[in-house]
Amino acid sequence: MKKGPESGTWPLAGVPGKLAESNPDNNRSGGASAKEKVILSSPGELENAQLKPSRETPRKKLCGYLNKLGIKGPIKTWKSRWFVYDENKCHLLYYRTAQDVNPLGSIDLSSASFDCKVENGEGVFEIRTPNRVFTLKAISKQAMMYWLQQLQVRRWEFCNAQSRFPVGSSQLVNEPLVDRTNVVDSEDFMPPVKTPTEVVGLKAASLPAPQTSTALQNISLKHPWTEIQNTVYNICVSKQLRGNNGNIFNFSEFQEHPESLDEEQEAEVEAGSAVKEEIPEDGRLESRVNWVRKAKWMNSGFLGLAEELSRERTSMDKVSVLQQQILTLTEEVKSQKELVKLLHKALEAAQQEKRVSSMYLTAAEDKDRLELVRHKVRQIADLTSRLEALEKEKKELEQMLALRDSHIQELKEHVQHLMEKNHAKQEVIMALTEQMARELSDPLQEANTITAETLYKQQEEIEHLKDDIDAYKTQNQFLNSEIHQVTRLWTSAAENEKALLMKCACLQARNCQMESKYLTVLRKLQETVPGLPSSDAELVRNLIQEALQWDVKEGAEEGLNLNPVSEYDEYGFMTVPDYEVEDWKLLAKIQALEIKSNNLRSQEVVEKPLRDRWNSVGELSPSAELKSLIRSGIPVEHRQRVWRWIVSRHCSRLPDHYQRLLRQSKSTEHPACRQIELDLPRTLTNNKYFSSPTSQLIPKLRRVLLAFSWHNPAIGYCQGLNRLAAVALLVLEDEESAFWCLVHIVENLMPADYYSDTLITSQVDQRVFKDFLAEKLPRLTAHFEQHQIDVSLITFNWFLVAFVDSLVSDILLRVWDAFLYEGTKVIFRYALAIFKYNEEEILRIHDNVEIYQYLRFFTRMIVDGRKLMNIAFNDLNPFPMKLLRNRRTMHREELETELCELEQIKAAYVKERAEQGPQDLQEVVSEEEEEI
């Protein structure tokens, strides 16, 4: 019998690896990990391992020979393989023989399911993994059911031990197993199968491997390197064992109790695999398995000697027996001497350690001892912290256990339902069996109608049917247990549900993009309708009419509506613009689809992580991280709190100041009151809270504007302030907070004289913006100059009201988030970003009238706020505030100089007209008189 170089006995294959088609190198690396030994930490443990082997019977190792269906081209053949279950990785490893050291491959059972079909033949079963299906064949039906049942139990134990599911999710609950080997029996699906010891277990390794028809048929051609390694290994081990017949273990206790050895032989042999892990790698100690075998041999030898001496009559026979006994005892003495040497070495090591410790303690000073005490104190503190962490983990596990208990109850109800269905099936089978028995119980009728030959065939068929019934009963029991266990493992599919929902959202977004492109094509065709033939023009009109009649919301309700597009957003703004021009309704439909597509794509990828980051923000304080978060956009639930914090940082509220201004506006009419009343109905007409004259926010807006006109008499009221105050009211809801927000914008964020009568600073900003536009977008600036386009006609209102009524509400509020925190530089950034966002579209237009028409509404077509934000804060860098201040100073001086020159020209003209006025009038009168 072959022996391994590490343990001193033949190695049982038990090496973790990968799938059968995996790389042999990987199998080799897995083999090394499975054969690792645990070094004993002290000489005492070494002595216990040698002289006091454990009598506890460990769990039986699942191993044995099975036939595996292999494929050689178009031909399928059965190959005998030695299979071993790896407890650590839940893999079923297979080797060519039990003595091989490297596996040919492995089967991952953690995500596999098992199946047995009667049609496949006796002993044939399947292991289905996500990658492939393995077809195996046992020597008998009992062996097949034993393998299936044991594999089920071990898969269940491994899945429970791994705890692969996160806390709080819908997961498989770890259920305590009272008797792990009888899990299936406790569930009343099928009784535990008796272990077929002749074909399964460590005893099967000592039996010769099943023979094949040809010598080469059983060799794995897919793994030639592994085959060569195993062959060389077995040859080397055989040579090594020829010169090593000694044994270092003491077998006296086996001689004293020989009667107990036969009863425990199987348990001791299986325990050998467990003790094998505690033996050093240097090969000085033999394995537990070889120890038991040597004990059996010694025991059987000495028992036979007593009987042999009684039977031998001649002195020569007695002498030969005694000589044999002397040789045996001599070998044992050699083994004992080797053991004594090992014990002496262990004792010397312990004494050496003791001497070193004594020398250190005698030679060390007080400070060294103090340092040692401090080290121990630090260790105690570290252990205390670890204990607290474990206590915390214990509480979390208790919470997880409570959740899992509730899930167990649900699973038990489901199992009860399956058992009831199984019981109903068994009742049907029993009824059919009884009916068939009744039909067979009437021999007279059978004798009268059926001949002897027909009767024999029918009886033979009945026997086959009975066998099929038994097979199907067994199959039904196993499949019920498999369904029950797979149902538990199936809960992991809940993790895939989220991924599928995200994929569905992406598909819906893509569908919206395709529809948007289709409508864009229709719009392009709509522009060319006058030049098309009558039939084509009619077809285009019908397609446009059909597209306009389709409702975005109804289309979304037909399928899974992940992110519906409502008519109004959280602040009351219309999500789809209501264009009065008939030709622009198709444009509104395109914009609605773009909004929906953008929302679907950004919901899980961008918005959810951003919302999680905002939820983790506690007390607000100025920082680079907060600045980055505000630029990314403030979620609806946090926007009001952040805006109030920003305003309170720059405006110190005076007690009762706002109420005093309201009382003053009631007692005295402000000169701007009439203009305010005219602007109220024209404020945010696309918002449902301001579109109606009876809205509750209209009186609040009136009071805020009147209070501000009294608060800042230098400005009073300027057109555009109504829109700023309206946005502040929508977000902050409280009119006093909206008043202070308006004060913060006008007096802190905007430069002086921005809303004065002359609007001089607003004009300065337009000149500064043109400079930046020429620097950042030179192609677009040249295009505007070529077609004589004055962008200030479009952008002046952007700066005056901070893009209100220009951008869609979602993007507008993100601009305001950064604008309130950083100031007017944000307006410059976004104004440049808007032109860069649509640069290519503008460059394709070569008519100045069409360019002006496009610039009137192109800001409403921007729906991708993330792209616009990246352009504003990344693509346009650098954008220093110092440069902005310098440009403002320079252009203000130029503008003031120009205004002075204009005033001088105006004064000279007025003076000249005053001097020439009467003379000209006389001349005109005289001419009229002459005509009369």
Side-chain angles (χ1 to χ4, degrees):
M1 185 173 295
K2 300 180 180 180
K3 294 183 180 180
E6 297 181 0
S7 61
T9 185
W10 45 271
L12 290 180
V15 186
K18 295 188 178 180
L19 295 175
E21 309 304 326
S22 63
N23 194 324
D25 295 336
N26 296 337
N27 295 333
R28 265 197 323 276
S29 64
S33 62
K35 290 183 177 293
E36 289 178 354
K37 310 296 187 296
V38 179
I39 304 299
L40 299 178
S41 59
S42 66
E45 295 179 5
L46 180 64
E47 181 179 0
N48 293 335
Q50 297 174 10
L51 302 179
K52 298 179 181 180
S54 174
R55 289 288 182 175
E56 296 182 2
T57 302
R59 183 174 181 178
K60 294 182 179 180
K61 192 173 185 67
L62 182 60
C63 56
Y65 279 105
L66 292 173
N67 288 329
K68 177 177 173 292
L69 185 61
I71 300 177
K72 293 181 179 179
I75 303 175
K76 297 182 179 180
T77 58
W78 291 101
K79 294 184 179 182
S80 175
R81 295 289 182 259
W82 174 258
F83 284 82
V84 178
Y85 175 74
D86 184 6
E87 300 281 352
N88 297 327
K89 296 185 178 180
C90 194
H91 282 199
L92 189 63
L93 315 176
Y94 55 90
Y95 305 72
R96 187 165 62 88
T97 64
Q99 288 75 30
D100 289 347
V101 66
N102 290 329
L104 300 176
S106 65
I107 305 174
D108 186 4
L109 302 181
S110 60
S111 58
S113 61
F114 313 115
D115 189 15
C116 63
K117 297 180 181 179
V118 179
E119 299 82 0
N120 293 340
E122 183 177 359
V124 179
F125 62 98
E126 294 179 349
I127 301 179
R128 300 177 180 271
T129 66
N131 296 328
R132 59 174 293 189
V133 177
F134 295 86
T135 304
L136 307 177
K137 183 178 182 180
I139 194 172
S140 63
K141 178 181 177 181
Q142 179 189 5
M144 177 193 72
M145 296 309 300
Y146 176 81
W147 273 98
L148 288 172
Q149 197 174 72
Q150 291 299 316
L151 291 176
Q152 271 190 332
V153 172
R154 282 160 169 79
R155 178 188 62 185
W156 171 243
E157 294 174 358
F158 179 81
C159 292
N160 273 348
Q162 291 299 311
S163 300
R164 295 178 295 177
F165 301 96
V167 179
S169 63
S170 175
Q171 73 255 28
L172 177 63
V173 186
N174 292 335
E175 194 173 271
L177 300 177
V178 179
D179 186 1
R180 295 182 178 234
T181 59
N182 295 328
V183 173
V184 182
D185 185 27
S186 64
E187 295 167 351
D188 295 330
F189 287 110
M190 59 185 301
V193 181
K194 184 179 179 181
T195 306
T197 56
E198 68 280 358
V199 293
V200 177
L202 296 176
K203 281 188 176 182
S206 61
L207 301 177
Q211 298 297 323
T212 55
S213 57
T214 62
L216 295 177
Q217 180 177 344
N218 202 39
I219 295 178
S220 175
L221 300 179
K222 293 183 178 179
H223 310 92
W225 181 247
T226 304
E227 289 282 0
I228 294 173
Q229 281 186 317
N230 291 333
T231 304
V232 173
Y233 174 80
N234 291 332
I235 293 174
C236 295
V237 170
S238 299
K239 291 181 179 180
Q240 181 182 0
L241 292 178
R242 292 192 187 101
N244 184 16
N245 296 322
N247 196 332
I248 65 172
F249 291 102
N250 188 357
F251 301 97
S252 58
E253 62 180 280
F254 292 96
Q255 297 176 16
E256 295 173 1
H257 305 283
E259 66 280 356
S260 64
L261 185 61
D262 293 335
E263 298 175 356
E264 298 177 355
Q265 285 176 0
E266 181 181 355
E268 290 293 334
V269 171
E270 293 177 356
S273 62
V275 176
K276 177 182 178 182
E277 297 179 355
E278 301 178 356
I279 300 175
E281 293 182 331
D282 55 5
R284 293 177 297 176
L285 300 181
E286 294 184 353
S287 69
R288 182 76 174 272
V289 179
N290 197 32
W291 177 21
V292 175
R293 292 190 173 188
K294 179 67 75 174
K296 290 168 59 180
W297 179 81
M298 293 287 294
N299 185 40
S300 61
F302 288 125
L303 288 176
L305 286 176
E307 298 177 2
E308 189 175 359
L309 288 173
S310 62
R311 291 197 303 267
E312 295 297 336
R313 299 302 180 186
T314 62
S315 59
M316 294 298 295
D317 294 338
K318 292 181 180 180
V319 169
S320 62
V321 170
L322 291 175
Q323 288 178 349
Q324 183 66 30
Q325 185 176 0
I326 289 172
L327 293 175
T328 304
L329 293 175
T330 303
E331 292 180 358
E332 183 178 356
V333 168
K334 292 180 180 179
S335 302
Q336 293 295 333
K337 287 182 179 180
E338 187 176 352
L339 176 60
V340 169
K341 290 180 181 179
L342 292 176
L343 293 176
H344 274 301
K345 291 181 180 180
L347 181 59
E348 290 176 0
Q351 290 177 351
Q352 180 67 23
E353 183 178 357
K354 180 179 178 181
R355 285 195 297 271
V356 172
S357 300
S358 300
M359 292 173 61
Y360 173 76
L361 292 176
T362 55
E365 298 179 359
D366 292 341
K367 61 179 182 180
D368 296 332
R369 295 180 181 179
L370 181 60
E371 182 63 26
L372 180 61
V373 171
R374 289 176 180 172
H375 179 66
K376 294 298 181 181
V377 169
R378 287 194 295 269
Q379 287 184 341
I380 292 171
D382 182 44
L383 292 174
T384 304
S385 61
R386 289 173 59 188
L387 179 61
E388 293 176 354
L390 290 174
E391 290 290 340
K392 183 178 180 181
E393 184 179 0
K394 177 184 175 184
K395 293 180 181 179
E396 294 177 354
L397 291 175
E398 289 176 352
Q399 295 177 358
M400 182 176 67
L401 181 61
L403 294 174
R404 292 182 174 180
D405 288 339
S406 62
H407 193 63
I408 286 174
Q409 188 62 29
E410 298 178 0
L411 293 175
K412 286 183 177 179
E413 295 176 358
H414 183 62
V415 170
Q416 184 64 28
H417 178 66
L418 292 176
M419 293 177 63
E420 291 176 357
K421 291 175 63 177
N422 183 31
H423 182 67
K425 292 179 182 178
Q426 292 180 351
E427 288 181 352
V428 172
I429 293 173
M430 294 300 297
L432 293 175
T433 305
E434 292 176 358
Q435 181 181 356
M436 185 170 60
R438 286 195 303 270
E439 292 177 355
L440 295 175
S441 63
D442 191 358
L444 295 177
Q445 183 180 0
E446 295 290 330
N448 294 333
T449 57
I450 306 175
T451 63
E453 183 178 359
T454 307
L455 179 61
Y456 174 76
K457 291 182 178 179
Q458 288 186 351
Q459 288 179 348
E460 186 178 8
E461 184 179 357
I462 288 170
E463 292 298 328
H464 288 307
L465 291 175
K466 287 183 178 179
D467 293 340
D468 291 344
I469 289 174
D470 293 338
Y472 280 116
K473 283 183 179 179
T474 304
Q475 178 183 350
N476 189 29
Q477 290 175 345
F478 169 73
L479 291 179
N480 284 336
S481 66
E482 180 69 7
I483 290 171
H484 171 65
Q485 195 174 101
V486 170
T487 301
R488 291 181 172 187
L489 298 175
W490 231 358
T491 54
S492 62
E495 298 175 359
N496 297 331
E497 182 180 358
K498 183 178 180 180
L500 291 175
L501 288 175
M502 292 180 63
K503 183 177 180 180
C504 183
C506 293
L507 291 176
Q508 281 194 6
R510 189 177 300 174
N511 182 46
C512 291
Q513 289 178 346
M514 295 302 296
E515 292 175 0
S516 173
K517 293 178 181 178
Y518 168 70
L519 295 179
T520 304
V521 172
L522 289 181
R523 184 168 174 269
K524 296 294 183 182
L525 291 174
Q526 184 183 27
E527 297 175 356
T528 61
V529 163
L532 294 176
S534 58
S535 58
D536 295 342
E538 184 64 24
L539 177 61
V540 171
R541 293 191 188 95
N542 293 337
L543 291 175
I544 293 174
Q545 190 65 25
E546 181 182 352
L548 291 175
Q549 290 176 357
W550 182 79
D551 191 355
V552 177
K553 293 180 290 182
E554 293 177 359
E557 292 172 358
E558 293 177 0
L560 180 62
N561 197 6
L562 299 174
N563 191 4
V565 179
S566 59
E567 186 178 359
Y568 297 95
D569 65 3
E570 298 85 351
Y571 297 105
F573 289 99
M574 295 178 62
T575 56
V576 180
D578 185 15
Y579 295 120
E580 298 179 357
V581 182
E582 186 69 22
D583 294 342
W584 288 3
K585 289 185 177 181
L586 189 60
L587 191 64
K589 186 69 67 175
I590 295 173
Q591 184 174 349
L593 290 171
E594 290 291 339
I595 291 173
K596 181 181 178 182
S597 173
N598 184 64
N599 291 340
L600 287 170
R601 283 186 287 112
S602 63
Q603 186 64 30
E604 289 293 331
V605 179
V606 179
E607 297 300 332
K608 189 176 182 301
L610 179 63
R611 187 173 289 106
D612 294 339
R613 291 179 63 190
W614 272 106
N615 291 336
S616 63
V617 175
E619 184 178 357
L620 297 173
S621 60
S623 64
E625 182 181 2
L626 180 64
K627 180 179 179 180
S628 175
L629 278 177
I630 292 176
R631 285 183 172 185
S632 300
I634 306 174
V636 177
E637 58 269 23
H638 296 280
R639 179 167 283 128
Q640 185 179 113
R641 176 174 68 99
V642 177
W643 281 25
R644 290 178 186 273
W645 173 77
I646 293 173
V647 173
S648 63
R649 285 182 63 237
H650 299 88
C651 295
S652 56
R653 294 192 179 189
L654 301 176
D656 200 36
H657 179 66
Y658 180 71
Q659 300 299 329
R660 181 174 56 81
L661 294 175
L662 290 182
R663 290 192 295 268
Q664 184 177 358
S665 63
K666 289 180 181 179
S667 60
T668 307
E669 182 177 352
H670 195 276
C673 182
R674 182 182 177 186
Q675 185 62 43
I676 291 174
E677 292 297 329
L678 292 175
D679 289 343
L680 286 177
R682 295 180 289 189
T683 303
L684 300 185
T685 56
N686 63 338
N687 190 286
K688 65 179 180 180
Y689 297 116
F690 290 98
S691 58
S692 173
T694 60
S695 172
Q696 295 180 355
L697 292 185
I698 295 293
K700 291 184 178 181
L701 179 60
R702 179 186 295 109
R703 290 193 291 269
V704 170
L705 295 176
L706 288 174
F708 181 81
S709 63
W710 286 108
H711 169 78
N712 192 334
I715 297 176
Y717 174 75
C718 176
Q719 286 186 337
L721 297 180
N722 57 327
R723 300 177 187 179
L724 300 177
V727 173
L729 269 175
L730 289 173
V731 176
L732 300 175
E733 297 179 357
D734 177 43
E735 59 181 271
E736 184 175 358
S737 299
F739 165 77
W740 287 110
C741 182
L742 182 61
V743 172
H744 172 56
I745 293 173
V746 176
E747 298 182 359
N748 297 330
L749 298 181
M750 294 298 190
D753 299 330
Y754 215 86
Y755 298 98
S756 63
D757 295 337
T758 59
L759 300 176
I760 182 172
T761 312
S762 300
Q763 298 179 52
V764 169
D765 275 359
Q766 293 306 304
R767 297 192 178 192
V768 174
F769 176 72
K770 288 181 180 180
D771 289 349
F772 286 140
L773 187 66
E775 294 174 3
K776 303 291 184 180
L777 302 172
R779 287 197 307 153
L780 190 62
T781 303
H783 186 69
F784 286 152
E785 291 176 355
Q786 180 183 358
H787 296 282
Q788 298 179 353
I789 303 297
D790 185 6
V791 293
S792 62
L793 299 177
I794 305 298
T795 60
F796 185 83
N797 195 50
W798 294 358
F799 284 75
L800 198 64
V801 296
F803 296 105
V804 179
D805 285 338
S806 296
L807 296 171
V808 294
S809 58
D810 180 56
I811 300 176
L812 171 67
L813 292 172
R814 291 183 181 181
V815 173
W816 270 58
D817 294 337
F819 166 63
L820 292 178
Y821 187 74
E822 300 183 45
T824 54
K825 184 173 69 171
V826 173
I827 298 180
F828 281 94
R829 282 183 175 273
Y830 271 99
L832 292 170
I834 289 172
F835 279 107
K836 185 172 179 59
Y837 188 99
N838 297 275
E839 181 179 12
E840 297 301 328
E841 291 292 333
I842 299 173
L843 291 175
R844 281 195 286 266
I845 305 175
H846 297 284
D847 183 75
N848 57 351
V849 177
E850 292 183 5
I851 293 176
Y852 275 119
Q853 290 179 349
Y854 181 77
L855 295 179
R856 285 177 55 197
F857 68 88
F858 80 116
T859 55
R860 304 290 300 180
M861 297 301 297
I862 299 175
V863 294
D864 193 348
R866 293 291 163 189
K867 178 181 177 182
L868 187 66
M869 181 198 69
N870 288 330
I871 295 173
F873 293 109
N874 296 325
D875 297 351
L876 297 178
N877 285 333
F879 204 93
M881 191 65 185
K882 182 178 180 181
L883 178 63
L884 177 59
R885 295 193 190 100
N886 295 336
R887 292 287 177 87
R888 278 177 168 169
T889 303
M890 179 185 68
H891 285 288
R892 186 181 182 91
E893 293 175 357
E894 293 178 355
L895 185 59
E896 288 178 349
T897 303
E898 293 175 3
L899 290 176
C900 290
E901 293 177 356
L902 288 175
E903 288 293 334
Q904 294 175 1
I905 294 173
K906 182 180 178 181
Y909 175 76
V910 170
K911 182 178 179 180
E912 182 180 355
R913 293 291 297 178
E915 295 175 352
Q916 298 177 359
Q919 182 179 356
D920 294 341
L921 182 60
Q922 292 176 1
E923 293 178 356
V924 171
V925 172
S926 62
E927 291 176 356
E928 290 178 354
E929 290 177 351
E930 291 176 357
E931 289 178 358
I932 294 173

